[in-house]
Amino acid sequence: MKKLVKSYVDSPLILRIVIGLVIGVALGLLAPQFTVVAVFGDIFVGALKSIAPLLVFVLVIASLASAASGIGKRFRTVIIFYMLSTFLAAIVAVIAMYLFPVTIRLADAVDRTAPAGLGEVFRTLLGNMVTNPLSSIINGNYIGILTWAIIFGLALRKLASDKTKEVLNDISAAVSAAVGWVIQLAPFGIMGLVFSSISEYGLEIFTDYGKLLVILVGCMLLVALVVDPLLVGITLRRNPYPLVLRCLKESGITAFFTRSSAANIPVNMKLCEKLGLDKEYYSVAIPLGATINMDGAAVTIAVMALTAAFSQGIQVNILIAVLLCFVATLGACGASGVAGGSLLLIPMACSLLGVGQDIAMQMVGVGFIIGVVQDSLETAINSSGDVLFCAAAEFHDRMKKGEEINF
């Protein structure tokens, strides 16, 4: 049994998900009466629903508590780059969804309406923010979870000892490991979810998934090839594309296949060395970027949340869309390093839009189905952006001192 489990875990997750997808489609078409298969999807969604609130709570606390150590004024520019680009990525995603709204068929969909008036929006938002933190975790109130996590994280950053911060990081790593174990069940969960969709709607469901994937890929490419270069070009006042294309070539391609920003850190360090950057600077800035520079994750969170809302018939006004951009940015910065980590933060954004947690978790399942392309491209954009903005920040500093730069 141990050998069987080990061979299962050691095989590529993408391959296992594809196999689960194929089996789910085949059973949905040929044996729709075997409804027991749908149970695997229910178990997977239930497990994600249980662990996701705790994951968000712990990750944000640990991230904020540790953020102050070793980060001085010298890194202000690169941090602004990281955060601003992530926020702009969320804006691009929201605009794209308004221009090309996508809906997909979800099980047990119930029409809801997002709050329309300004007073109602803030009354609901503030009420959710001050909800008891334990209650927020139990009930999946992600606005409350995020609020209390920020409060505790900022408090611990000032008051906690280094040992306490290490414990927090260990707890965060443990929760992330637990999430990783749940994700190992993704092939079975995908099989159940696809079986349910195929047996009810037929193969037409993949047309919806294709439209969703096109929006995600289009937004990510727009961010990587237009928005991020524009930021760098305005800052350095020169053509940014030689640097952009080099980062995509030497960092993005590797990250596309590894699907891990953390695993791509050594590649990015080597590229920074080739660019002639200061080692004391990039040795901090690159790992920091792997944590908070999450353009692709922001796109994923915003697009998937709005797809869930539109699929429920929810009308999202401009104010809520702006709030969604902020939530997507904060959520992306706390995304777990495990495969599909950004998908687990979709419920947090969905809660802002009035989408129930059951529907939000179905969107997480859809994300795993299209994740073969979505997660790979997301990681490539995130990781190549780490080097891009790290280099841009140092080059900007050199230019202010009158030094010549060459990339």
Side-chain angles (χ1 to χ4, degrees):
M1 180 61 72
K2 287 184 178 180
K3 290 183 179 179
L4 183 62
V5 172
K6 187 176 186 302
S7 62
Y8 170 82
V9 173
D10 290 343
S11 60
L13 180 62
I14 294 178
L15 176 62
R16 283 180 277 146
I17 287 177
V18 170
I19 293 173
L21 177 63
V22 172
I23 294 174
V25 171
L27 291 175
L29 291 174
L30 303 176
Q33 68 275 17
F34 291 163
T35 55
V36 67
V37 178
V39 173
F40 291 104
D42 296 337
I43 292 173
F44 180 60
V45 169
L48 290 177
K49 189 191 302 183
S50 299
I51 195 65
L54 184 61
L55 174 70
V56 173
F57 190 66
V58 172
L59 282 177
V60 174
I61 289 178
S63 177
L64 287 176
S66 304
S69 56
I71 304 298
K73 292 182 178 179
R74 185 179 182 187
F75 299 94
R76 181 179 299 169
T77 303
V78 74
I79 291 174
I80 291 174
F81 268 137
Y82 288 158
M83 298 301 295
L84 180 59
S85 66
T86 302
F87 180 69
L88 291 176
I91 291 178
V92 168
V94 168
I95 293 174
M97 283 298 292
Y98 271 99
L99 294 176
F100 310 102
V102 175
T103 61
I104 62 176
R105 282 164 278 196
L106 300 169
D108 300 321
V110 177
D111 286 343
R112 300 184 181 208
T113 56
L118 181 63
E120 185 181 356
V121 168
F122 279 102
R123 186 162 52 248
T124 302
L125 184 64
L126 293 174
N128 289 336
M129 287 173 64
V130 297
T131 301
N132 181 284
L134 294 179
S135 176
S136 296
I137 293 173
I138 293 171
N139 297 316
N141 170 20
Y142 286 90
I143 301 301
I145 291 169
L146 192 61
T147 300
W148 288 109
I150 290 173
I151 292 172
F152 289 140
L154 292 175
L156 288 167
R157 185 175 67 179
K158 290 186 174 295
L159 302 176
S161 65
D162 290 340
K163 290 185 177 179
T164 301
K165 294 176 182 179
E166 289 178 8
V167 171
L168 287 171
N169 287 326
D170 289 341
I171 294 174
S172 175
V175 175
S176 295
V179 172
W181 296 339
V182 172
I183 290 176
Q184 293 299 327
L185 301 174
F188 297 99
I190 296 304
M191 179 183 68
L193 291 169
V194 170
F195 170 84
S196 298
S197 298
I198 292 296
S199 60
E200 184 173 355
Y201 301 114
L203 290 174
E204 292 82 5
I205 194 73
F206 287 108
T207 302
D208 298 336
Y209 292 171
K211 292 177 182 177
L212 177 58
L213 185 59
V214 167
I215 288 290
L216 285 166
V217 170
C219 288
M220 291 183 191
L221 291 178
L222 183 63
V223 169
L225 298 177
V226 178
V227 176
D228 288 352
L230 187 61
L231 279 177
V232 174
I234 291 173
T235 302
L236 300 182
R237 297 180 181 178
R238 61 171 57 193
N239 180 12
Y241 282 99
L243 180 61
V244 170
L245 295 177
R246 185 173 182 182
C247 291
L248 287 172
K249 177 183 176 181
E250 298 191 32
S251 172
I253 293 177
T254 306
F256 183 90
F257 292 103
T258 62
R259 298 176 72 205
S260 171
S261 295
N264 212 49
I265 286 177
V267 176
N268 285 350
M269 293 279 201
K270 187 68 176 177
L271 179 53
C272 287
E273 183 180 351
K274 291 180 181 178
L275 290 170
L277 304 185
D278 182 356
K279 185 175 182 180
E280 291 185 3
Y281 162 68
Y282 70 71
S283 62
V284 176
I286 291 298
L288 179 65
T291 303
I292 67 173
N293 181 43
M294 294 289 179
D295 296 6
V299 168
T300 297
I301 293 169
V303 168
M304 299 294 274
L306 283 172
T307 299
F310 293 160
S311 300
Q312 291 278 274
I314 296 174
Q315 300 298 319
V316 181
N317 64 32
I318 297 299
L319 174 62
I320 298 179
V322 172
L323 292 175
L324 174 63
C325 292
F326 284 104
V327 170
T329 301
L330 292 174
C333 293
S336 172
V338 300
S342 63
L343 300 177
L344 300 177
L345 296 169
I346 292 171
M348 177 179 65
C350 284
S351 66
L352 178 69
L353 306 179
V355 176
Q357 196 174 11
D358 289 338
I359 298 298
M361 285 306 172
Q362 288 184 53
M363 289 303 303
V364 174
V366 171
F368 278 106
I369 293 173
I370 63 176
V372 175
V373 176
Q374 168 269 325
D375 194 43
S376 297
L377 185 58
E378 175 184 313
T379 307
I381 291 172
N382 290 343
S383 191
S384 62
D386 295 346
V387 183
L388 174 66
F389 292 126
C390 178
E394 179 163 335
F395 290 153
H396 179 255
D397 184 58
R398 291 184 187 178
M399 290 175 65
K400 289 174 65 177
K401 297 177 182 178
E403 299 179 18
E404 290 291 329
I405 63 170
N406 182 25
F407 50 75

